[in-house]
Amino acid sequence: GENVEQHPSTLSVQEGDSAVIKCTYSDSASNYFPWYKQELGKGPQLIIDIRSNVGEKKDQRIAVTLNKTAKHFSLHITETQPEDSAVYFCAARTEGTYKYIFGTGTRLKVLA
Amino acid sequence: GAGVSQSPSNKVTEKGKDVELRCDPISGHTALYWYRQSLGQGLEFLIYFQGNSAPDKSGLPSDRFSAERTGGSVSTLTIQRTQQEDSAVYLCASSVQVYEQYFGPGTRLTVT
């Protein structure tokens, strides 16, 4: 069945450095890739998304890149801040369906 | 405006008891999802409602789990004869279309 692998499971960076989280999906028909940030005790919050007709999307310090050939997509956070510390999830959805397949999450720690 | 709300925020129950978890989606959102998140894990799809269509129940782990959505708005997830392995955070999400899911804060269920 469909699968989304996410790496790394934990990531520690110094404040101001960049962080990169990578996901690989298995279903070549996947066409929508959201990223969620989940803070302790809260539900996941959509932070950025990308559709398959776009290779890169940026929103201030956050960017997502998509390589359809390799079935990879990545989240890039620049100039990290302590408030970026959270668990980040990637997901993939296949065109014509409504089911999302989620990665297992990355715990990001930004060290002050 | 108001986001997705869930109640209760925490529920402790004894093994074998039934529990009901409630979700109030964002007004006007026709799609509603239930997910289960076990400790340190990703999100596991349980069930999906879209408008007046028959729900997709394919993610429900056993026949002890059921869900309803009344009037196209509020949804209730019911777990009968709870088991310890049912302990998890149950998340509800709603969306206008299949993109941009908005999550509630979740209900943490503990079965003792």
Side-chain angles (χ1 to χ4, degrees):
Chain A
E2 299 90 348
N3 184 50
V4 174
E5 294 187 358
Q6 183 171 347
H7 300 281
S9 56
T10 60
L11 178 61
S12 293
V13 299
Q14 291 292 328
E15 181 178 1
D17 287 351
S18 295
V20 180
I21 303 170
K22 299 182 179 180
C23 288
T24 303
Y25 59 97
S26 61
D27 186 353
S28 57
S30 295
N31 70 335
Y32 175 63
F33 309 93
W35 284 91
Y36 294 87
K37 175 183 181 182
Q38 186 174 28
E39 298 176 318
L40 193 63
K42 297 183 179 180
Q45 178 185 10
L46 178 69
I47 56 172
I48 196 167
D49 57 9
I50 191 167
R51 303 187 188 189
S52 59
N53 58 347
V54 176
E56 183 174 358
K57 184 177 178 180
K58 189 173 182 180
D59 182 3
Q60 299 182 347
R61 298 186 296 108
I62 295 173
V64 56
T65 59
L66 172 65
N67 182 329
K68 289 179 60 180
T69 302
K71 293 190 282 187
H72 288 169
F73 59 112
S74 299
L75 177 71
H76 305 252
I77 306 174
T78 59
E79 301 172 20
T80 53
Q81 301 169 3
E83 53 265 36
D84 294 329
S85 296
V87 178
Y88 291 81
F89 291 96
C90 64
R93 187 184 68 83
T94 299
E95 183 174 10
T97 75
Y98 41 79
K99 279 186 182 178
Y100 289 78
I101 307 298
F102 282 80
T104 50
T106 296
R107 182 173 299 278
L108 173 65
K109 295 182 182 178
V110 180
L111 307 172
Chain B
V4 177
S5 61
Q6 292 186 245
S7 61
S9 56
N10 282 284
K11 177 71 175 178
V12 180
T13 190
E14 292 180 352
K15 177 181 173 182
K17 295 289 180 71
D18 298 351
V19 295
E20 286 189 351
L21 312 180
R22 177 187 169 105
C23 172
D24 280 272
I26 294 173
S27 177
H29 282 197
T30 57
L32 187 148
Y33 298 76
W34 282 98
Y35 293 91
R36 180 168 68 177
Q37 185 175 31
S38 300
L39 187 62
Q41 299 298 310
L43 280 69
E44 174 190 5
F45 167 81
L46 296 178
I47 189 169
Y48 167 78
F49 295 90
Q50 170 59 38
N52 295 320
S53 302
D56 180 342
K57 306 178 182 180
S58 61
L60 296 178
S62 77
D63 59 7
R64 296 186 295 105
F65 288 71
S66 63
E68 291 183 339
R69 189 178 185 191
T70 55
S73 181
V74 172
S75 178
T76 302
L77 177 69
T78 301
I79 308 174
Q80 295 178 311
R81 305 180 302 282
T82 52
Q83 303 295 314
Q84 288 189 329
E85 58 263 30
D86 299 335
S87 296
V89 175
Y90 289 83
L91 291 161
C92 174
S94 70
S95 65
V96 174
Q97 305 173 35
V98 292
Y99 302 107
E100 297 188 17
Q101 292 182 93
Y102 293 86
F103 282 86
T107 294
R108 181 175 297 278
L109 175 65
T110 303
V111 182
T112 61

